[in-house]
């Protein structure tokens, strides 16, 4: 299972999202009230960019003219044909028995503050011959980490 740092925690505020590419897979990372979730950015209907869709809530109705609206910001609507998915589980609300979008485990991990290039493991820097006297300083940062399975 490969772990990837995809963002600092404060980079994706509640209600926000970030789209990333990990090992050739396009993935959307969502923050719902401080909890993070990762979904594949490929709609199981016809391959639309699901994670670019609008956020909404769950609308349920027992009879015409009456409805309940709940879980605002937790349902993702595909921009191509409007199929809706639960961000927390990847479950479809169009065809709940059979259709879901791939989701990935997300954890929050603490570590020293990294430059974005360092976090990606690619600085492109070359060391010079001189070394200055240094003192250890530790700045802790919380990172959003996605596990690809
Ligand atoms: S491609 Fe997403 S609803 Fe059709």
């Amino acid at each position: 299972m490969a772990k990837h740092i995809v963002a600092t925690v404060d980079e994706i505020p509640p209600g926000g999202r970030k789209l990333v590419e990990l090992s050739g897979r396009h993935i959307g990372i969502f923050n719902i009230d401080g909890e993070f979730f990762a979904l594949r950015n490929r709609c199981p209907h016809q391959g639309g960019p699901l994670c670019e869709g609008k956020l909404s809530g769950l609308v349920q109705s027992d009879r015409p003219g009456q409805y309940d609206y709940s879980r605002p910001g937790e349902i993702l609507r595909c921009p191509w044909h409007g199929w809706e998915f639960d961000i927390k589980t990847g479950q479809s609300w169009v065809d709940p028995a059979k259709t879901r979008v791939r989701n990935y485990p997300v954890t929050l991990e603490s570590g020293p503050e990294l430059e974005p290039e360092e976090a990606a493991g690619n600085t492109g820097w070359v060391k010079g011959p001189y070394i200055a006297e240094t003192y250890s300083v530790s700045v802790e940062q919380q990172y959003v980490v996605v596990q690809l399975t």
Side-chain angles (χ1 to χ4, degrees):
M1 234 185 319
K3 290 169 116 186
H4 298 265
I5 296 173
V6 293
T8 58
V9 165
D10 51 9
E11 205 180 323
I12 310 173
R17 75 183 86 176
K18 181 177 182 180
L19 303 178
V20 299
E21 184 180 345
L22 302 176
S23 303
R25 280 175 262 199
H26 295 267
I27 293 172
I29 320 296
F30 295 84
N31 178 344
I32 298 177
D33 297 329
E35 270 191 282
F36 290 83
F37 301 90
L39 295 179
R40 185 132 191 225
N41 189 15
R42 187 174 193 287
C43 181
H45 178 218
Q46 290 183 356
L50 175 63
C51 295
E52 295 171 26
K54 284 192 171 159
L55 298 177
S56 66
L58 186 62
V59 180
Q60 293 173 298
S61 176
D62 291 337
R63 57 180 173 261
Q66 199 163 36
Y67 68 90
D68 286 325
Y69 184 79
S70 61
R71 303 181 58 199
E74 297 185 16
I75 305 297
L76 181 60
R77 186 179 303 139
C78 180
W80 280 12
H81 311 103
W83 283 27
E84 293 182 327
F85 295 84
D86 187 328
I87 293 172
K88 290 187 170 180
T89 63
Q91 183 71 58
S92 161
W93 289 96
V94 170
D95 181 11
K98 291 192 231 145
T99 306
R100 64 192 295 275
V101 65
R102 180 74 195 264
N103 59 357
Y104 302 92
V106 180
T107 54
L108 301 183
E109 298 187 14
S110 296
E113 192 151 20
L114 300 174
E115 294 298 325
E117 294 84 6
E118 282 183 288
N122 178 22
T123 64
W125 296 349
V126 177
K127 283 185 182 168
Y130 306 106
I131 299 172
E133 192 171 344
T134 60
Y135 304 90
S136 85
V137 175
S138 171
V139 179
E140 288 287 310
Q141 177 64 271
Q142 268 215 308
Y143 295 99
V144 181
V145 176
V146 172
Q147 292 180 29
L148 293 185
T149 49

